[in-house]
Amino acid sequence: MLSIPPSETPLKLAAKPFPARVVRVTHAGLVVALPNGREGLVREREIAWNEEERKAERYRPGDVVTVVPLGKGSERRPELSIRLARFDPWGGVKERYPPGLLVDGVVTGVMPYGVFVELEPGVTGLVHVSRFPTWVHRPPGEIFWPGDLVKVIIETVDVQRRRIGLSMADLLTRRWQGERPARKPLHVSTDQPALGTGARLTLDALFRLGKRTHVLVVEDDDAQRQSLVNWLRDTGQWADGAPSAETALAMIPGLPLDLVLIDVGLPGMDGIEAARQIGARWPALRCALMTDWSRAERWAKEIEPLRAAGVALLIKPLLPEDLLAVLLDGPVGLTGEPPSVSPARLRLEQARPTWNGTGGADLGVVLARLLVATRADKAVLFELESEGRRITVVEQRGAAPLHLAALPELIHSPVRDVAEEERVVVAATPAEAFSQRFLHLTPLLNFAACVGVPVPALLASRFALFLFFAHPLAAAEHVLAKAEAAATAVGSWLERRHLIRQTADLNRMVVMGQMTRALVHEISGRLAPINLTLQRLQTACDAVEGCVAADPAQALEVVRQARQELQALAQQVETLARTVRSFGRMARPDEVEIVRLDEIVAEAIDILSDTAQTAHVTLALQPVPHLFFTRTRVTHLQQVIVNVVQNAIQQIHLLRPQVGGRVEIRLGQAIRHGEPVLQVTVEDDGPGIHRRLWERIFDMDYTTRPDGSGLGLYLSRSLIEAQGGRVYVADSRIGWGSVFVVELPYRT
């Protein structure tokens, strides 16, 4: 695995800054003349702490810069740093990181003996395997991935050797103590410059964008090649290796590649010639050359044309941030022209589909894009209901208004022909549009031309997609092809909506099964105490009758005891009533109504109480500051909360089956895009989620459990998005736990 974090920091802490003169400005960085007459290199990343500052710096030959040695490179050509001469992130480390402090970190390297954790850019510590959590019984590479967020405890700080010892062994004992990890400012004095975006922010950007790249590493050194391949795979990329340029050129046609990393000094055909051939044969395929700074200077004339054409240049030794910068670049090939983006990718880049009575966001996006592509004035999706007697409008886009009073007559129009008989209808001129065939369609809106295509969808209802134009069609075939392509996308969307609805019904049945078990358990557990209480009340009544006249004081005492029994009985009956009410709410048809959010959450906790008890998990609903009301689909909301909490219970049980854990649920509100939203926050102390899986866990069929269906979180997101809300992972740390948020719009 690529794990170089310790070498990011200089080895000579006591080295004092000294002036050097810029000799040349190269792709690798600045070549500077040292006071002893030798030359040194300041890599581009060592010029400043962040990208903005590096872009702002414009050095020219003859400029004098202040540098410190890094302890890298050869004695004849050392490597230097300008940014460390301005500010050393290890200054004040002991004060910022006292032993025992709980801090945030990000995993930047995984080795057999432990994991490297970046605490802030330029400051990295090591969690040795002996200081892993007690539940870790697998190799580090199976537990931690580069980019994972973690919480660690500072154990030792050795500033002279630039080493920080970290621990995760006692995290569970500090998990719910109310201690929040220190979020240290990166500025410890007013004249200290801001630290740059190191591996933490770059990895986070990679995961946030969901970017996944297929990379071919061409490197003749077996160890370096395998290290690069392993690191790329650990960050979620697809990666293959080739020992020579000739092998790589033979492999490229058979692989769906996005990027080729080529070492310049390859045996046989060198990397420069390989990059030229790749550019000529596969111009859309990105390339990056890898070499040391001396070779980069020696072959500058050969490399410069390739760089101008879009080939990146990476200077060895490589750091994670160098590779991540290339992975995050846009898809620019040697021609300098970005390849066209496929419609499939455009669809995938949109927000996840939602569905409600008006159609849905993604459906509207498809129709809006179709209007732009065909220059139509109106796009309408019609539905012919399964009994074939009524046509309705599912979704529409375009400014032209529809006269909805004409909808009943559409059953006699070409809309039915398109939907039911799957015919294609084209009226390219006003004469055709006003013919007898369109007599029952023209009252819906005024148009001079139209195109209608069937929507392929395996559903009981049939659908037709129509485009209407205020002008005659000059290229009807072109418009028809785009309409049919859009109809295919719409059909997929409709089938997905239907699947979500069916899955929601199945999930509701599962939840009802859980509620039935809870109801049976509750009734079975309460019947005996209720029966005994009734017997005691009967005895108390007999005692009162016997001593009212003889001993009034004794009668009052018996009445007092009977009142306590009645209160206990009332509480038991109330518990049963609450369970029955939850069951009744879930069994009712799905309706939109105003609900109290805390009641819905409390019912979900009741439903899962047996499951949590079996897994030794404590469910805790934090006190509500005030009541939250909203209008929502009650059964859908309850399903979502049950799914999210149940997922947390299951993950804790897999991690610590005998010990268990804790799940906290909190209610609150926030502002999202200027609008108030209600939030249900579910926090657990489970194993945590790898950073690059925060979005993927909501994909259909994705599961980490052998018995998992992969539908719970997928369905939860779909149901909430259908109501204008969202479900997401707000935070997750390996070995610490996760925080899920269910967010709903505030509606009354």
Side-chain angles (χ1 to χ4, degrees), residues 245-256:
E246 291 81 1
T247 303
L249 293 174
M251 292 174 63
I252 288 174
L255 295 173

Side-chain angles (χ1 to χ4, degrees), residues 11-78:
L11 302 179
K12 298 181 180 179
L13 181 65
K16 294 183 178 180
F18 58 85
R21 181 173 52 82
V22 176
V23 177
R24 293 184 302 281
V25 179
T26 71
H27 301 306
L30 306 177
V31 178
V32 299
L34 307 180
N36 60 11
R38 294 175 180 171
E39 289 186 348
L41 174 69
V42 180
R43 289 180 182 243
E44 184 179 358
R45 64 172 172 265
E46 294 297 331
I47 292 176
W49 284 107
N50 58 54
E51 185 66 25
E52 291 73 19
E53 291 180 3
R54 282 196 288 270
K55 290 180 178 179
E57 299 284 0
R58 292 288 183 268
Y59 291 106
R60 296 180 177 82
D63 290 347
V64 176
V65 295
T66 302
V67 297
V68 293
L70 287 177
K72 300 180 187 177
S74 64
E75 184 178 348
R76 189 171 61 88
R77 289 180 173 176

